[in-house]
Each structure stands twice: as structure tokens, then as C-alpha cells.
Amino acid sequence: MATEYGQEYGRRPGNPAGSGFPDHDGERHHLLPAALRAPVEPRAWRELGYVLLSLPIAIALFTWTVTMASLGAGLLVTFLGIPVLAAALAGCRGFGVLERMRARALLGLEVADPEPLRTGRSGLFAWMGAVLKSGTSWRHLLYALLQFPWAVFSFGVSVAFWTSGWSLLTYPLWRWVFPMYAGQGGLQLYGDRHHSVYLDNPFEISVTALAGLLVTLATPWIVRALTAVDGLLVRGLLGPTRLSARVVELESDRGVVVDTAAADLRRIERDLHDGAQARLVNLAMDLGLAKEKLREDPRAAARMVEDAHGEVKTALQELRDLARGIHPAVLTDRGLDAALSSVASRCTVPVRVEVDLPARPAPAIEGIAYFTVSELLQNISKHSRARSASVDVWRAEDRLLLQVVDDGAGGADASRGSGLAGLAGRLGAVDGVLVVDSPVGGPTRVIAELPWRT
């Protein structure tokens, strides 16, 4: 993922060519190439098992679908056709659950469950209406009709290639059956009333075994191509549609936004209650005591007023910091360049800031970009043990890119529930992405991507 960002958007000026994300190679190394070990790999046998199971399941599903759908369509002249059609679609949805489980177990295909039925109210009639109006139900019925002929074809091709390949490959081991029990020299290649050709001499046996080897090596790839079509059918007809998946994603993002807003409100309330509000209460008490002391001991009253003046300054500074944490005025007035330079000046390490934007993005995107960089610089100040850092902001097509790099100890991981995970959730709420590359020992590079909206 990180290297994709480096390749797609290029490197920012000032970044050396070797300072990009490392190219981690997670593949296992084998002594034999993939073409030679494919016939004996577990994946090939799982895919063959998937194809073999597809035929009986397809027969059962096709029979159920055609029978119930035909019966329901014929009974539509009466009220009985509606519940029969609903039962047919419900049965197809049940088979769909089985097919997704089978694809997940044997093909490693992760297909999310489609959107559930939305009945609106309880009752049998509401349920039947929801089943009949659901596009998911009709896509499951279409899968039942399309999968049957494909299962027959893939079953025949797979079985023919597997049996032919292994039979020919092992022909030298079982050729003795022909002279002992069939009275012929070997496998008959050609024969008529006048002439017959048998595979019985060493050269012909060797060529037969070699042909079997080639077929055996090619068979797993043929089966894999067949199961790829099965995967397309399962994902396209039994999984969620792109629109429904987008709706689920937006609902999840909305929950993140609501939770983030609630957390921010609690933080502001806590800061006001524990900070400025407490100081103002103490200030009111001190001024009341100074008023009482004014006639009796003017000097003591003057000292108390002076102390209260210091409390006022501290309270004002806390209110400024709180307002800056909500939305800094410099961001509204002068944009990201000035706002990020102000944040960088408060960092405990020297920070180089470079902002290259043709225009200002939408205020919401600008605010998220500001707070993202601000929190990343706070992490650098608190945890990184870095000596220097840099912030780069630029636009690439319809995306706003932020890059924060430091030369600290590294080891940052957004998957461990840290502040980076919260940042990733906040970015995800607006279709953003957070990419962290932080090997132990450093350096740490964080790229945030936001949609460009004006």
C-alpha cells in the first residue's frame, strides 16, 4: 500500500530516492516453480473439491428454483402464488449462505453477506413483501439459474483433465493390467478390423507418461480459471452490491463521526470545567476577598488584585488554546500554510513545512488536514525521540496528500488502538486513508490522503 502511494503520486522535493517506503517481500520461497508444484499443492485440491461439490449442489438448487418459481408463477392467478414465490426466493437466499461459506472455505474468497431484509413491520405478509421486493433475492435466483449449466461444464472439464492427466502419467505403473487381463499389449491407441496400435513399447510408454505429465501440470491452472468464474458469480450475485456496500460504509462512517464529535464535546467540556472555569471561580473568590480587604489592608488587597490579574492572563491563555483546539483563527484567515507553520513552531523538534496547493480546499477538509498534522506533530514531540521532522502538503488530481516524516525511533503501529487508529477512523469518515510506515529504528513516514473538495 505504501509503495503504491510512492509510485502513484511521486516523491516530494527534498526526499531522497531511498527514503521511500521499503519494499517488503512477504512471499515464501520454494525450490520448485509454481508450474511444477501446482498439482500437489493443497490449493489445487481445494479448488477441485469445490468444482466436484458444485454439481450436486447446483442440481439441488436448480431443481428447487425452477420447481418453486414455476409453481409460484402458475399460481399467481390466485393468492397462493405469492407465498410460493416468496418461499422460492427465501430458499435461494438460504442456498446463497451455503455458497458463500463454501467459497470462503475452499476458494479463500471473502464475500460479505448482502444487505438483510428490511421489513419495516412484523408479520408474515410484511416478510413476503420484503422478500419479493428485495433485489438481493432475485439476484440469488439468477445465480441458481446461471450456476447450474456452468457447474455441469466445469465438472466435466475438470474431471476429464484430472483423470486423463493422472492416468496417462501413471500409465507405466498400471500397464501390466492389459496383457494379464485383456490379452493385449497395452492401451489401444487405434484399431479396426485389419490393424491395431497399442502403446506397449518403452518409447510409446515414455511419451504417454510425458503427455500425462503435461496434462497434469496444466490441469490445476485450468481448474483455477474455472473457479475464477465461480468467484465472479458468487461475488457479483451473492454478495452485496456496490451501492449497498457504500451505504453500509457511510453508516459506519457516520457512527465514527458521531462518536468523534461526542468525544470532542466531552473533551471541551472537561477542559472548560477543569481549566478556565475553575480559574474563573477562583478569580471571583479572590476578587471578593480583595474587596473586603480593600478598606482594612489596602496593600494586601493590592497583592490579591495583582494575583487575580495573573489568573486572568492564565485563564485567557487557556481559552485561546481551547479555541485553537476547536478551530484556529489562523486556519480560517490564512489557510493551511500559515496554520501548519504555527503548529510546527510549537513542536519540540525542528520541523520543515512545505505546502504546495493551487487553492484552498473545503473548510471541513482543511480542518481535518490541520488536526491530522497537528496530532502527528504532537506524537513526534511526545514519543518519537526525533531530531527533525518535515511536513509536506500537496494536491494530486482529486486528492489532498499530507506527508509527515521524522527521524525518530519508529515502531508506530495504527493497528494497536493508539491515537493513529483514531486518526485513521476520522479520515475514513470522509473517504480518507492513513498509511503508516514505521519500522523499528525509524524513520517514520505517515501519509494521509483526503478527497479534494472546494
Side-chain angles (χ1 to χ4, degrees):
M1 183 69 176
T3 52
E4 290 174 2
Y5 278 103
Q7 293 167 1
E8 182 177 356
Y9 297 118
R11 304 190 183 280
R12 298 293 301 155
N15 292 344
S19 63
F21 296 116
D23 185 14
H24 299 291
D25 183 13
E27 297 183 357
R28 295 174 56 189
H29 296 284
H30 297 273
L31 296 177
L32 294 176
L36 295 180
R37 65 175 187 271
V40 294
E41 281 190 327
R43 177 181 176 181
W45 294 100
R46 288 196 302 268
E47 291 169 343
L48 177 63
Y50 183 91
V51 172
L52 297 181
L53 285 175
S54 292
L55 183 60
I57 293 176
I59 292 174
L61 177 56
F62 185 82
T63 302
W64 165 269
T65 302
V66 171
T67 302
M68 295 296 290
S70 301
L71 181 61
L75 292 176
L76 280 179
V77 293
T78 67
F79 177 75
L80 294 177
I82 295 177
V84 173
L85 271 180
L89 294 175
C92 291
R93 292 180 70 110
F95 273 103
V97 175
L98 173 63
E99 289 295 88
R100 287 191 296 272
M101 293 174 56
R102 191 164 67 94
R104 186 179 301 114
L106 297 178
L107 300 182
L109 184 65
E110 293 294 336
V111 179
D113 294 334
E115 62 274 15
L117 291 176
R118 302 182 183 272
T119 57
R121 61 182 187 275
S122 59
L124 179 60
F125 291 101
W127 175 83
M128 288 190 298
V131 171
L132 292 172
K133 290 187 295 184
S134 171
T136 300
S137 302
W138 293 101
R139 286 191 291 111
H140 280 65
L141 184 142
L142 180 61
Y143 173 83
L145 299 178
L146 294 179
Q147 201 250 352
F148 173 69
W150 177 253
V152 173
F153 173 77
S154 58
F155 182 91
V157 172
S158 300
V159 170
F161 272 89
W162 271 104
T163 55
S164 300
W166 284 102
S167 297
L168 295 178
L169 178 61
T170 58
Y171 177 64
L173 302 178
W174 56 272
R175 190 188 66 84
W176 57 271
V177 173
F178 292 96
M180 181 171 293
Y181 296 103
Q184 59 189 41
L187 187 66
Q188 185 174 1
L189 185 63
Y190 170 79
D192 55 23
R193 292 181 298 174
H194 307 289
H195 182 67
S196 297
V197 177
Y198 299 98
L199 302 175
D200 53 3
N201 62 61
F203 174 76
E204 295 172 345
I205 294 174
S206 301
V207 172
T208 301
L210 180 60
L213 177 62
L214 296 177
V215 175
T216 302
L217 293 176
T219 299
W221 305 101
I222 296 173
V223 176
R224 190 159 301 169
L226 296 174
T227 55
V229 177
D230 285 287
L232 292 176
L233 288 174
V234 172
R235 183 180 284 110
L237 297 177
L238 301 185
T241 61
R242 184 175 299 179
L243 177 61
S244 63
R246 181 61 176 164
V247 170
V248 172
E249 181 182 354
L250 291 177
E251 290 177 347
S252 175
D253 291 344
R254 182 182 63 183
V256 172
V257 171
V258 171
D259 293 341
T260 302
D264 289 341
L265 288 175
R266 289 193 298 268
R267 177 182 59 81
I268 295 170
E269 181 183 6
R270 183 178 64 251
D271 292 344
L272 284 173
H273 183 272
D274 298 340
Q277 181 180 351
R279 290 189 181 278
L280 291 175
V281 171
N282 291 333
L283 176 62
M285 295 175 61
D286 291 342
L287 289 176
L289 292 174
K291 181 180 179 182
E292 295 177 359
K293 289 276 188 180
L294 185 60
R295 293 181 180 179
E296 301 175 1
D297 189 354
R299 291 184 178 180
R303 287 195 302 268
M304 295 178 71
V305 171
E306 185 178 354
D307 293 339
H309 184 256
E311 287 290 320
V312 169
K313 290 182 178 180
T314 304
L316 287 175
Q317 183 61 41
E318 289 183 353
L319 288 174
R320 289 192 192 99
D321 293 339
L322 183 60
R324 188 184 295 114
I326 298 173
H327 194 84
V330 66
L331 178 63
T332 303
D333 297 338
R334 300 172 58 190
L336 273 175
D337 195 353
L340 295 182
S341 297
S342 176
V343 172
S345 66
R346 299 193 297 270
C347 189
T348 58
V349 301
V351 180
R352 177 186 61 81
V353 178
E354 182 180 347
V355 178
D356 181 14
L357 296 178
R360 294 182 63 174
I365 300 300
E366 197 174 50
I368 293 176
Y370 170 82
F371 287 111
T372 299
V373 175
S374 178
E375 186 157 343
L376 291 174
L377 291 180
Q378 289 181 19
N379 289 342
I380 291 175
S381 298
K382 295 177 181 178
H383 310 297
S384 70
R385 302 195 299 273
R387 296 185 299 274
S388 64
S390 64
V391 176
D392 294 288
V393 182
W394 72 99
R395 178 181 177 180
E397 298 178 356
D398 60 344
R399 310 295 283 181
L400 174 64
L401 277 297
L402 317 170
Q403 178 178 261
V404 179
V405 182
D406 69 78
D407 58 358
D413 187 359
S415 64
R416 295 186 299 201
S418 60
L420 291 175
L423 272 182
R426 179 174 293 190
L427 292 174
V430 292
D431 289 338
V433 178
L434 186 74
V435 180
V436 180
D437 180 69
S438 182
V440 176
T444 296
R445 184 186 302 271
V446 180
I447 288 185
E449 177 189 346
L450 290 165
W452 179 270
R453 297 170 186 164
T454 58

